[in-house]
């Protein structure tokens, strides 16, 4: 696979493996055209929620944004290989000024919440993908109960809460997906992103980054909702994220090297 990448790049890059905890893909670092780069070799497994065509469209939509990663090459999957992505390598994000970091992250999300043309993230199809795996398992009662709860809570969130406008959603916000470029926060790993409900990104901001509730509630997607209703929706979204994370690790994360 790495030889194939070098052939496509028309150069001999010396690739070094990178740790890839928390991802099913394989990561490598190297030097290309005078800069440090990271190569993501896509897994050949089917991963729930990941769509390479959707990811490609999202990366194209955000390519001019200051918080978006610089993608140098993107090879789509075909019958002979699972595809790969080459991007500029960024520095680890070290937060010194928490208030400044919060403001920058919120500004980035406020900007991508204005993007309405992203390809659809189909939540129903995602539940069906999980269901297909659970159906062929033995003694999957806890998994089934959790998936049923996710389905119901999402329905309650979408139908039972004040209407919020869908927009571009990252769907995997956590500290490991934030890097730095000369002080600018860079948001990476857009393979789950798509047009969906902003509640899930909002929940991640509280759970993963401990952002102040009032600041998250002030994002464009929620400005027409009072704080009490926002808190109610947020609790449902946090439950969905928590249960989806558990399902992912139970069904994929614990077996990604098998």
């Amino acid at each position: 696979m790495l030889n194939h990448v070098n052939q496509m790049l028309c150069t001999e890059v010396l690739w070094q493996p990178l740790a890839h905890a928390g991802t099913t893909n394989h990561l490598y670092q190297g030097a290309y055209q005078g800069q440090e780069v990271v190569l993501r070799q896509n897994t050949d497994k089917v991963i729930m929620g990941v769509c390479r065509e959707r990811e490609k469209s999202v990366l194209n939509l955000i390519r001019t944004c200051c918080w978006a990663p610089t993608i140098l090459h993107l090879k789509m999957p075909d019958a002979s290989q699972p595809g790969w992505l080459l991007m500029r390598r960024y520095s680890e994000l070290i937060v010194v000024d928490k208030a400044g970091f919060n403001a920058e992250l919120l500004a980035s999300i406020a900007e991508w919440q204005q993007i309405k043309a992203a390809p659809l993230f189909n939540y129903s199809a995602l539940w069906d993908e999980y269901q297909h795996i659970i159906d062929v398992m033995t003694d999957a009662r806890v998994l089934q109960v959790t998936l049923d709860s996710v389905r119901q809570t999402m329905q309650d969130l979408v139908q039972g809460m004040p209407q919020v406008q869908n927009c571009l959603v990252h769907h995997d916000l956590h500290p490991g997906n934030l890097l730095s470029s000369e002080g600018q926060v860079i948001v990476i790993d857009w393979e789950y992103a798509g047009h969906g409900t902003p509640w899930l990104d909002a929940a991640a901001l509280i759970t993963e980054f401990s952002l102040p509730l009032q600041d998250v509630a002030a994002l464009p997607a929620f400005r027409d909702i009072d704080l009490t209703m926002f808190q109610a929706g947020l609790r449902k979204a946090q439950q969905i994220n928590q249960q989806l994370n558990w399902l992912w690790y139970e069904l994929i994360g614990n077996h990604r090297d098998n």
Side-chain angles (χ1 to χ4, degrees):
M1 176 63 186
L2 296 179
N3 288 335
H4 168 76
V5 172
N6 284 346
Q7 289 174 4
M8 294 290 294
L9 298 178
C10 299
T11 189
E12 191 66 27
V13 179
L14 298 178
W15 298 109
Q16 299 294 325
L18 284 172
H20 59 281
T23 177
T24 55
N25 302 310
H26 298 282
L27 303 177
Y28 302 88
Q29 63 179 340
Y32 172 67
Q33 294 185 342
Q35 61 184 319
E36 294 298 311
V37 295
V38 171
L39 171 69
R40 185 194 75 193
Q41 178 187 340
N42 299 337
T43 179
D44 56 3
K45 299 177 181 178
V46 176
I47 304 300
M48 284 90 78
V50 171
C51 172
R52 299 302 174 195
E53 286 287 352
R54 190 181 66 235
E55 178 190 26
K56 180 181 178 181
S57 296
V58 168
L59 289 171
N60 185 58
L61 280 172
I62 66 174
R63 68 187 186 281
T64 61
C65 300
C66 61
W67 38 263
T70 298
I71 307 300
L72 304 173
H73 290 277
L74 192 157
K75 175 67 174 176
M76 294 297 290
D78 57 36
S80 64
Q81 51 83 43
W84 50 272
L85 178 149
L86 185 70
M87 75 174 194
R88 177 185 166 192
R89 187 176 186 187
Y90 296 98
S91 304
E92 178 185 358
L93 178 64
I94 300 175
V95 177
V96 177
D97 175 10
K98 185 63 164 64
F101 164 77
N102 289 353
E104 185 175 352
L105 180 57
L106 286 165
S108 301
I109 295 174
E111 185 175 356
W112 79 57
Q113 285 187 350
Q114 306 305 311
I115 299 176
K116 311 299 183 184
L120 178 69
F121 188 97
N122 190 328
Y123 296 106
S124 294
L126 177 61
W127 314 152
D128 290 344
E129 290 175 10
Y130 276 110
Q131 188 65 64
H132 177 72
I133 294 177
I134 291 173
D135 284 344
V136 298
M137 298 177 67
T138 58
D139 193 20
R141 288 169 294 179
V142 176
L143 293 167
Q144 185 64 64
V145 168
T146 303
L147 179 59
D148 291 344
S149 175
V150 168
R151 280 190 173 120
Q152 185 60 55
T153 306
M154 178 63 88
Q155 182 176 329
D156 294 344
L157 180 64
V158 173
Q159 298 180 1
M161 301 299 297
Q163 188 69 34
V164 297
Q165 190 171 10
N166 284 359
C167 57
L168 177 61
V169 181
H170 185 278
H171 286 127
D172 195 22
L173 285 175
H174 60 79
N177 279 338
L178 299 187
L179 298 174
S180 175
S181 175
E182 299 177 351
Q184 168 68 52
V185 171
I186 303 295
V187 185
I188 64 167
D189 197 1
W190 291 85
E191 60 184 350
Y192 294 97
H195 187 78
T197 176
W199 284 110
L200 301 184
D201 277 358
L205 290 175
I206 302 294
T207 303
E208 299 287 343
F209 300 98
S210 301
L211 264 65
L213 184 78
Q214 293 86 345
D215 292 350
V216 179
L219 283 167
F222 309 109
R223 284 176 181 164
D224 295 331
I225 300 177
D226 66 56
L227 190 59
T228 299
M229 193 62 72
F230 176 78
Q231 288 176 301
L234 190 67
R235 284 193 293 270
K236 293 181 184 297
Q238 287 176 308
Q239 179 181 337
I240 292 168
N241 281 352
Q242 181 182 31
Q243 291 178 323
L244 281 178
N245 286 339
W246 183 81
L247 281 172
W248 192 93
Y249 279 103
E250 286 296 312
L251 297 176
I252 298 177
N254 290 335
H255 311 287
R256 59 178 175 266
D257 294 325
N258 294 342

